[in-house]
């Protein structure tokens, strides 16, 4: 299963920081999100990006996780020569993250 099967995303960017919120369609899926979508998995998924710091904020009342990726935009939207590194493109790519609801950590073996 992919993250996009159980959640949607919202994103924003400011300077060199991309912020991605992952929101469960069904609040009952939030515990799976909390187990499976970790900072380590996000960094691994975006291994090609020069992320210097990643922060995760848990919002269980909203069924959401918010990730702040410092350094993810190669110097910032207006300074980068790379195409399509804006926050909304990264968030769409994140929906392809594989998760496994059958494992205790939510990660496919």
């Amino acid at each position: 299963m992919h993250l996009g099967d159980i959640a949607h995303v919202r994103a924003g960017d400011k300077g060199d920081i991309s912020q991605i919120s992952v929101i469960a369609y069904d609040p009952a899926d939030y515990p799976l999100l909390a187990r499976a979508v970790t900072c380590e998995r996000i960094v691994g998924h975006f291994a090609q990006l020069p992320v210097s710091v990643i922060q995760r904020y848990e919002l269980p009342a909203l069924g959401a996780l918010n990730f702040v990726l410092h350094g993810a935009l190669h110097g910032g939207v207006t300074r980068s020569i790379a195409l399509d590194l804006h926050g909304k493109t990264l968030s769409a790519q994140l929906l392809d993250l594989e998760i496994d609801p059958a494992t205790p950590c939510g990660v496919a073996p």
Side-chain angles (χ1 to χ4, degrees), residues 4 20 33 39 45 48 53 72 75 82 107:
I20 302 172
L33 288 183
C39 290
H45 192 72
Q48 77 281 8
V53 175
V107 180

Side-chain angles (χ1 to χ4, degrees), residues 40-58:
E40 294 78 18
R41 299 229 37 234
I42 299 285
V43 168
H45 192 72
F46 295 128
Q48 77 281 8
L49 298 179
V51 175
S52 58
V53 175
I54 183 169
Q55 298 162 296
R56 176 176 125 155
Y57 297 94
E58 298 180 2

